[in-house]
Amino acid sequence: MGRPQAKLKKGQERQFLKSLFETAVQAADPLHCLKPYLPPAPKGKTIVIGAGKGAAQMAQAFETLWVEAGNPAPQGVVVTRYGYGAECRFIKVLEAAHPVPDAVGLEAAKQLKAALKDLHEDDLVVALICGGGSALLPAPPEGLTLADEQAVNAVLLASGAPISVMNAIRKHVSTIKGGRLAALAGSARMVSLIVSDIPGDDPALIASGPTIADRATRHDALKYIEHYKMQLPEKVMAHLRSKAADAPLPDDAVFARHSHHIIASAAQSLKAAAKLAEEQGVETLILSDSIEGEAKDIALMHGALAQYQARNRTSGQPLLLLSGGETTVTLGSGSKTGKGGRNSEFMLALALNIAVNANIHALAADTDGIDGSENNAGAFADGNTIQHMTELGLDAKQFLAGHDSWSAFNASGDLFVTGPTGTNVNDFRAILIS
């Protein structure tokens, strides 16, 4: 059989890219993803805990599927970002601040801990975990305060360090991360159902692993702090140097009755988007589901690949390049912080790279619907974007240098706004060479 004939028409590129994003998000929808992983009902009670930007939608889907299966109603509590709530009948939904933790998140963390008190071996704990849970569950150890945890979070976000490094530090400045929440479940059986927003899908790194331990130690955390030249409060450093910071390891007996499943990931979402594109006659190449690095640098790499294909492609079929993962934005010391996030920064750098190439159209967006500091998921760009900005009196290079990509795309009308999606499998990047 031959390749399907291309159905994409000129002028429809952005609508096509949007449909790919929507398909990727749909592939990670909790109602679709949770059902195959529902655990057997316990003899005792079912307690649900959870955290993340999609935790409320996960809770809503879980209780619907759980009761439809004929099980007694669950109880419990989950916490999500302000504005990301969903109506649940049995599970309490709390909202707190993200990405900078607040006092409401501190109280939410206490309520999650309280939900795990006095459990027995006949009870079941279902943990619904997804990206964003780390900031939503502030729980500083004795001697430290919420302000200290906020300071740590701010330094980590500006450091440019990969997520594995940030989480190795976070979990040692917490009484809930790094498996510590799960340890409170006692003899109860625990099943963690996880939506991955981490390159490589390591469950211990997602939301800093409140129910999953890993082997990173406080000594590793101290090495990372030195390597990335992070300036953390002295109280925090003193804690990290003490045995009080030690986290449980994966082979600790407390985790003997615990299991976990990755129910959705970037890989699954990219494959779903690729399938849709190919059904419309667009040849598709998934570059990777786990790309990390500085957003501007990753944009240069993607731009070079797109430019090469645009110059040398002989097939009459359009080509789509897809990628996922989590890029970073490193803020220079003392630099003023503009508005935006890693996807819009990626897109502004890409727009500069593909300028005047009318055959390239692109979208980069965060699958949770929020990219960084503003309300957009990401942005669109094509070969005419920079020319349009110039005509508006905008210096795209200056906006990029100031990490102010949102302002540039807002002025040019190229922001991509979706609102909260109810899931989070990290960055989605699609580049169409037509």
Side-chain angles (χ1 to χ4, degrees):
M1 292 179 63
R3 184 178 299 276
Q5 289 296 309
K7 303 174 184 177
L8 186 63
K9 296 180 181 179
K10 190 172 180 59
Q12 296 180 338
E13 293 89 356
R14 289 197 176 185
Q15 185 58 40
F16 170 71
L17 295 171
K18 179 184 176 183
S19 71
L20 297 177
F21 175 86
E22 291 170 345
T23 297
V25 168
Q26 181 63 32
D29 180 84
L31 197 60
H32 169 74
C33 299
L34 275 168
K35 191 171 185 177
Y37 297 98
L38 290 182
K43 294 180 181 178
K45 57 189 175 183
T46 300
I47 302 295
V48 176
I49 58 172
K53 286 181 275 188
Q57 288 77 12
M58 292 178 76
Q60 185 183 61
F62 177 83
E63 67 175 25
T64 297
L65 294 169
W66 191 250
V67 174
E68 283 180 354
N71 300 314
Q75 54 186 296
V77 58
V78 300
V79 58
T80 190
R81 177 177 172 157
Y82 290 126
Y84 279 48
E87 186 175 345
C88 291
R89 291 179 291 165
F90 312 112
I91 301 167
K92 187 176 183 179
V93 176
L94 303 175
E95 297 183 11
H98 181 283
V100 179
D102 67 357
V104 179
L106 195 66
E107 175 59 29
K110 292 178 181 177
Q111 292 198 36
L112 261 70
K113 289 181 178 181
L116 299 179
K117 285 184 177 179
D118 303 321
L119 298 182
H120 305 286
E121 62 180 13
D122 287 338
D123 297 327
L124 168 68
V125 178
V126 178
L128 305 175
I129 306 298
C130 58
S134 188
L136 292 165
L137 291 176
E142 186 176 355
L144 298 180
T145 66
L146 175 62
D148 293 321
E149 192 161 341
Q150 289 171 331
V152 170
N153 198 59
V155 171
L156 293 177
L157 290 175
S159 69
I163 194 67
S164 57
V165 168
M166 291 197 284
N167 284 354
I169 297 168
R170 281 171 175 156
K171 78 167 194 172
H172 289 100
V173 192
S174 172
T175 60
I176 212 166
K177 299 173 174 66
R180 287 181 170 94
L181 182 62
L184 300 177
S187 60
R189 180 165 56 100
M190 176 175 279
V191 178
S192 296
L193 304 178
I194 304 169
V195 174
S196 174
D197 69 331
I198 296 294
D201 300 333
D202 184 343
L205 300 182
I206 300 160
S208 298
T211 62
I212 309 288
D214 73 356
R215 295 203 168 275
T217 68
R218 61 185 173 90
H219 303 291
D220 295 321
L222 289 167
K223 290 177 183 176
Y224 293 144
I225 290 167
E226 180 181 3
H227 177 78
Y228 286 92
K229 297 180 174 58
M230 298 179 190
Q231 299 296 317
L232 299 181
E234 182 51 40
K235 283 196 301 180
V236 172
M237 295 303 297
H239 172 74
L240 288 170
R241 296 186 190 105
S242 72
K243 290 185 178 181
D246 287 333
L249 295 174
D251 51 7
D252 193 303
V254 74
F255 302 118
R257 301 190 69 209
H258 294 192
S259 61
H260 66 269
H261 305 281
I262 301 290
I263 66 168
S265 67
Q268 297 170 21
S269 289
L270 290 173
K271 288 176 182 176
K275 182 175 182 291
L276 175 65
E278 288 169 352
E279 287 173 351
Q280 297 189 38
V282 178
E283 184 180 349
T284 303
L285 175 62
I286 298 177
L287 302 177
S288 173
D289 66 341
S290 55
I291 292 177
E292 296 181 276
E294 193 70 19
K296 291 186 287 188
D297 296 337
I298 302 304
L300 292 178
M301 179 270 284
H302 281 68
L305 291 173
Q307 293 274 33
Y308 176 83
Q309 291 292 339
R311 288 194 307 267
N312 296 287
R313 190 162 177 77
T314 57
S315 168
Q317 297 293 120
L319 174 67
L320 176 70
L321 304 179
L322 292 174
S323 72
E326 183 174 29
T327 62
T328 52
V329 175
T330 304
L331 303 177
S333 177
S335 65
K336 292 183 179 180
T337 305
K339 295 180 178 181
R342 59 181 185 265
N343 286 289
S344 52
E345 176 137 334
F346 167 94
M347 191 54 68
L348 188 55
L350 181 73
L352 285 162
N353 186 272
I354 63 172
V356 307
N357 194 322
N359 293 326
I360 301 177
H361 298 77
L363 168 65
D366 196 318
T367 52
D368 67 13
I370 297 294
D371 180 43
S373 64
E374 305 306 308
N375 68 343
N376 62 309
F380 291 103
D382 56 44
N384 298 318
T385 298
I386 299 302
Q387 180 181 340
H388 180 47
M389 288 183 177
T390 301
E391 291 170 351
L392 293 172
L394 306 174
D395 185 336
K397 290 182 179 179
Q398 184 175 342
F399 279 99
L400 183 61
H403 304 294
D404 198 18
S405 52
W406 180 90
S407 296
F409 285 121
N410 183 54
S412 66
D414 294 316
L415 291 175
F416 178 52
V417 180
T418 65
T421 64
T423 192
N424 182 11
V425 289
N426 234 320
D427 301 340
F428 174 87
R429 293 177 290 268
I431 302 175
L432 177 68
I433 298 106
S434 59

